[in-house]
Amino acid sequence: MRRLGTIQIVALIAVAVVMRLLYTHRKIQAPRPQSIPSNTAGNGQVKRTSVNANGEVSAWDSRDCVVIGLAVGYGLSNFEQFVGSLRATGYNGHIIIGIGENPPSGVVEYLTKRQVTIKVVKFTQCTFTNYTTNTGQLSPFNQRQKCAVGYPDYKIQWGRFPLAADWLRECTGCTGGVMLTDVRDVFFQRDPFAAVVNPHPIMVFEEHPMLTTEYWLVGYIVKQCKGSNMGKRPMLCSGSTMGTRDGILDYIAAMVKEFDIWLSQAKCRFDIIGDDQSIHDYLFYEGKLPNAVMIPYRTGPIHIVGGPADKIFRAAIEVAKKDGHDEGWVNAHRFYGTEDKWEQWLDPKFNLTDDKGYITNFDGTPSPQVHQYDRFGRPFDRWLNRRVKEWNAQLDAAN
């Protein structure tokens, strides 16, 4: 057999690389993932995977995945948005949601219809009351709070983590990907698990680059508690995290361990509700989540849009003020365009949406999960509310 020269070998390698890049970036029109068989797993069973909108093979089959959230006190419309949008993507996996003992009318019926596992969260008086203010004085913060039964030492913003771990362990069919997520300010445009090609045990997500760990919620809080300077690093959102079953259980265990450390020191007991994010960022950047990978902003299955959304909304208010209007006027009107072209709710100059109004990742595809959309204000709600009605009508028609 004739030997190939060095130049020929290099040329062949170059061709292979180009072909791989072309394959990776080719677009497929089908917006929904299709289940396909792949190689058998180690136990001899067929391992299920799916194909996402870019033609890439996802490592997770959604039927084995789970989305977990806490939504105590939320009304029916919140669930029609969160659950309805998720099911409308074609996601056919598990959904576990914690609700209160006396939910608003229609909530249980709706969640049952959409095949959601309901977890009723009971509350009790919190046992840990000596939270301190920024001045070091005792705060009545925890006296105004209720804590979940079983976790009375944790304000509910912390208690949701061990609750999620309990629910995940109880779900024997939840063997694939896991998403821990907020509910109120979240909706879905694509199956988030089908969008994950290279899963990691723990995946944390960057917010917009305009937000860094210098922001007081991380920088100041961590400095006060730990005495360490977080510096200027990408802000990571604790409201949406993904990973494997074991990875997420490890993540929650690390969070709970740190909760206990913070509770044991007066200087770390803050009378605020957002310091789970302080701890989330601290653990990642201090290397205490060794299996965690940071997903760059607007590139993965979760798009935290709050930074630019708030900037767009505030800019609209400033423009309105010059014409003698106020924030209420902005909320009562559109950002852009006319009602007959309702899908085009945002000026294309922002490069945040496609021609149907869906919020996109940098590659132009609809972001699977959109988080913190409420920062856009009411002008965006008109588009979203209309979509929510469409999505739920399609689900009802299919059943």
Side-chain angles (χ1 to χ4, degrees):
M1 181 179 293
R2 184 170 62 88
R3 291 175 178 268
L4 293 177
T6 301
I7 295 176
Q8 291 171 307
I9 292 174
V10 171
L12 287 172
I13 293 173
V15 170
V17 170
V18 171
M19 292 300 292
R20 175 60 180 167
L21 289 172
L22 288 173
Y23 174 78
T24 301
H25 290 88
R26 67 185 179 131
K27 304 295 181 181
I28 290 181
Q29 296 301 313
R32 300 281 175 85
Q34 305 171 23
S35 296
I36 59 172
S38 67
N39 295 331
T40 56
N43 57 12
Q45 297 179 342
V46 173
K47 180 182 178 182
R48 298 181 301 196
T49 58
S50 61
V51 175
N52 67 21
N54 291 332
E56 300 162 324
V57 177
S58 171
W60 285 325
D61 185 281
S62 294
R63 289 171 290 183
D64 304 320
C65 297
V66 61
V67 174
I68 303 176
L70 179 67
V72 174
Y74 293 177
L76 178 60
S77 61
N78 293 112
F79 296 105
E80 289 174 332
Q81 168 191 299
F82 182 87
V83 177
S85 66
L86 179 55
R87 288 297 188 208
T89 67
Y91 173 73
N92 56 359
H94 304 270
I95 304 175
I96 302 175
I97 294 181
I99 63 174
E101 292 187 85
N102 299 297
S105 176
V107 167
V108 171
E109 293 79 8
Y110 178 81
L111 294 179
T112 301
K113 180 172 66 172
R114 298 286 185 250
Q115 298 180 308
V116 173
T117 299
I118 299 172
K119 299 292 185 179
V120 177
V121 180
K122 298 181 179 181
F123 287 87
T124 185
Q125 186 64 45
C126 301
T127 56
F128 216 100
T129 57
N130 58 338
Y131 281 86
T132 55
T133 66
N134 291 340
T135 63
Q137 301 299 311
L138 286 178
S139 167
F141 170 76
N142 225 26
Q143 298 171 18
R144 302 191 302 267
Q145 294 271 307
K146 293 291 183 181
C147 292
V149 170
Y151 301 102
D153 275 357
Y154 303 141
K155 47 191 170 184
I156 191 58
Q157 294 79 15
W158 288 12
R160 64 189 176 123
F161 288 91
L163 283 172
D166 292 341
W167 300 339
L168 179 55
R169 291 189 186 98
E170 292 167 1
C171 182
T172 57
C174 300
T175 58
V178 180
M179 173 186 284
L180 303 181
T181 181
D182 290 349
V183 173
R184 181 190 59 80
D185 58 351
V186 167
F187 72 97
F188 297 86
Q189 303 178 134
R190 286 194 290 141
D191 181 340
F193 298 100
V196 178
V197 178
N198 297 307
H200 298 275
I202 305 170
M203 292 180 284
V204 296
F205 296 85
E206 287 185 15
E207 299 200 28
H208 190 278
M210 72 176 74
L211 296 169
T212 73
T213 51
E214 290 183 323
Y215 184 59
W216 72 269
L217 183 59
V218 173
Y220 171 79
I221 296 296
V222 172
K223 179 72 172 179
Q224 290 292 105
C225 176
K226 297 293 186 177
S228 56
N229 189 345
M230 292 292 291
K232 188 175 183 179
R233 295 164 165 174
M235 177 74 81
L236 307 175
C237 180
S238 64
S240 293
T241 303
M242 293 180 72
T244 63
R245 179 187 178 94
D246 289 342
I248 289 298
L249 288 173
D250 288 345
Y251 163 72
I252 294 174
M255 289 287 285
V256 171
K257 181 180 179 180
E258 195 66 25
F259 293 161
D260 291 338
I261 293 173
W262 286 45
L263 285 176
S264 70
Q265 304 174 56
K267 64 180 181 178
C268 300
R269 294 193 293 268
F270 299 97
D271 59 345
I272 60 175
I273 62 174
D275 52 356
D276 58 293
Q277 180 144 323
S278 317
I279 294 172
H280 175 87
D281 281 45
Y282 168 77
L283 289 176
F284 179 80
Y285 286 118
E286 288 297 312
K288 297 179 183 293
L289 299 174
N291 293 319
V293 171
M294 179 170 58
I295 307 300
Y297 169 72
R298 205 178 166 190
T299 63
I302 295 172
H303 179 178
I304 301 103
V305 75
D310 182 72
K311 189 173 182 179
I312 289 168
F313 183 55
R314 298 301 161 193
I317 293 172
E318 291 304 310
V319 171
K321 284 181 178 179
K322 293 178 180 179
D323 294 327
H325 303 301
D326 58 9
E327 182 175 331
W329 185 91
V330 173
N331 276 320
H333 291 78
R334 296 175 57 87
F335 277 144
Y336 176 79
T338 57
E339 286 299 322
D340 62 318
K341 296 181 179 180
W342 64 272
E343 292 178 316
Q344 300 169 17
W345 63 274
L346 187 64
D347 194 325
K349 72 180 183 182
F350 293 110
N351 193 32
L352 265 177
T353 57
D354 63 15
D355 58 359
K356 297 295 183 182
Y358 291 98
I359 295 171
T360 61
N361 280 359
F362 282 131
D363 65 2
T365 60
S367 306
Q369 188 208 77
V370 179
H371 189 190
Q372 297 181 1
Y373 73 85
D374 58 327
R375 275 63 161 183
F376 281 115
R378 289 288 300 163
F380 176 67
D381 288 350
R382 295 179 184 83
W383 180 92
L384 180 58
N385 291 342
R386 191 157 176 172
R387 289 296 187 201
V388 169
K389 289 180 180 179
E390 289 180 357
W391 293 330
N392 280 280
Q394 291 167 5
L395 290 170
D396 291 338
N399 294 328

